[in-house]
Amino acid sequence: GRAHAVSVASGTLGTWLALRALGIGPGDEVIASPHGWHQVAQAVTLAGATPVFSDINYWTGCLDPVRAAAKVTPATKAILAGNVNGHPAAWAPLRALADERGIALIEDSTEAIGSRYQDKMVGTFGDVSIVDFSQPSALACGDGAMVVTDDEKLAIELRYLRQRSV
């Protein structure tokens, strides 16, 4: 249900490219969950940014929007939240927080393909969403990932960065 889909070699690469396409790099902070796949935080560091870990909702395992709000600083450029073990994150408050603070919302939808939040499919809430197809993902195809967005300029930048070797 997104306007653009860009295939990449892995979820880590997709997250890294999404961060770069959003202009996130050295000196920037990205709020993320400490409860998740370690390559998510690795992608933040590969982009040169600093992951700032915020606590999760005990019942869903997803990033808690209230606790994430307390971590936002002037250096914060994005919130990177995931849907954990089939549980959608609290996307309405996360979207409101990102919009209110003028920061990007990046959605890792790997663990909840097919799940819904308020009658919308996961993968449709972030400015950009990543779905990893590697093992042990919910939709394992052996390798690869997809980065999806409705922002045409962002999709063009993602494709450009994917083609470059630097």
Side-chain angles (χ1 to χ4, degrees):
R2 300 301 295 258
H4 304 278
V6 180
S7 62
V8 293
S10 71
T12 305
L13 179 60
T15 305
W16 176 63
L17 290 175
L19 291 162
R20 296 220 19 229
L22 289 164
I24 296 169
D28 296 332
E29 295 177 349
V30 177
I31 296 172
S33 169
H35 177 66
W37 199 243
H38 64 278
Q39 281 93 345
V40 173
Q42 180 190 21
V44 175
T45 61
L46 288 173
T50 302
V52 175
F53 295 115
S54 182
D55 212 347
I56 61 171
N57 175 294
Y58 176 80
W59 297 106
T60 66
C62 300
L63 189 66
D64 184 308
V66 173
R67 292 177 174 145
K71 299 282 187 168
V72 176
T73 72
T76 304
K77 300 298 181 228
I79 297 169
L80 174 52
N83 301 295
V84 178
N85 294 327
H87 297 284
W91 291 112
L94 286 168
R95 178 80 267 166
L97 173 61
D99 291 346
E100 174 187 307
R101 303 293 178 96
I103 57 180
L105 181 59
I106 303 168
E107 181 179 355
D108 178 357
S109 292
T110 300
E111 293 186 31
I113 294 172
S115 293
R116 294 182 169 278
Y117 174 81
Q118 296 181 347
D119 288 329
K120 289 181 68 180
M121 295 291 288
V122 297
T124 62
F125 299 99
D127 298 305
V128 61
S129 301
I130 298 98
V131 180
D132 190 337
F133 303 134
S134 307
Q135 302 246 352
S137 300
L139 181 59
C141 299
D143 234 348
M146 194 69 65
V147 182
V148 296
T149 184
D150 291 328
D151 184 328
E152 184 175 10
K153 288 182 183 179
L154 189 58
I156 290 167
E157 185 66 12
L158 285 162
R159 288 185 182 101
Y160 170 74
L161 290 169
R162 181 185 62 182
Q163 301 300 327
R164 295 186 62 211
S165 61
V166 186

